[in-house]
Amino acid sequence: MKPRQKRLLFVALAIVGVGTAATLALTALNSNISYFFSPTQVLANEAPQDRVFRLGGLVTEGSIARQEDGLTVHFDVTDNAETVTVAYTGILPDLFSEGQGVVTKGRLGPDGVFYADEVLAKHDESYMPPEVESTLQTAHAEGVAETAETAGVSN
């Protein structure tokens, strides 16, 4: 082999190696991504049925129901427009309570219940996760517009 052919072979192998490494890295990152959805988006079937995603909103007042095993909890998460029931088995964060912001990570079951693997509660009384805050503001604006339309008032 001539030196020129050796260089071309080395460059070709380097390009194939970098391409393979980039493909493996992107595949690994894609499998670990979990997108955020609001209850309205989940009920509109915008959330994936077969993948892990995050669901956020406010814990509905009076919706927390603990099962007999002491670890399984069912509660409702709302964005003030729609509500999704969440089932979680494990120890809840200390700051978890009704009327507070929450982000859960898990999968939507075929029965319409969101089965959470992880529950995150806000960390102080003034904090709201940015995704939850924007979702609540959007739902509130849509609710105000919908109320105005039903009352016969036009914007």
Side-chain angles (χ1 to χ4, degrees):
M1 254 187 178
K2 294 182 181 177
R4 179 180 174 146
Q5 291 174 331
K6 287 181 181 179
R7 279 192 305 262
L8 286 175
L9 181 61
F10 176 74
V11 168
L13 288 175
I15 290 172
V16 168
V18 168
T20 302
T23 301
L24 290 173
L26 290 174
T27 303
L29 286 174
N30 193 27
S31 66
N32 289 327
I33 291 176
S34 61
Y35 295 103
F36 177 85
F37 292 94
S38 68
T40 300
Q41 292 172 315
V42 170
L43 294 177
N45 292 324
E46 294 177 22
Q49 296 293 325
D50 57 343
R51 292 191 45 134
V52 172
F53 64 93
R54 293 181 297 153
L55 169 71
L58 297 174
V59 178
T60 306
E61 296 284 338
S63 69
I64 298 176
R66 297 188 186 275
Q67 302 300 310
E68 292 179 8
D69 65 5
L71 287 178
T72 303
V73 179
H74 292 266
F75 56 93
D76 293 337
V77 173
T78 184
D79 61 0
N80 293 330
E82 299 288 347
T83 302
V84 173
T85 301
V86 176
Y88 175 68
T89 301
I91 298 172
L92 290 168
D94 290 337
L95 297 174
F96 178 85
S97 66
E98 296 174 345
Q100 300 297 322
V102 67
V103 175
T104 59
K105 184 177 177 182
R107 295 178 186 265
L108 187 64
D111 54 357
V113 174
F114 185 80
Y115 293 95
D117 300 324
E118 183 178 9
V119 174
L120 303 172
K122 66 181 195 158
H123 68 274
D124 70 16
E125 63 189 41
S126 63
Y127 176 76
M128 176 77 64
E131 300 98 340
V132 173
E133 186 173 5
S134 66
T135 299
L136 291 173
Q137 288 174 352
T138 302
H140 176 70
E142 290 172 359
V144 168
E146 194 172 292
T147 303
E149 287 175 10
T150 58
V153 177
S154 62
N155 294 358

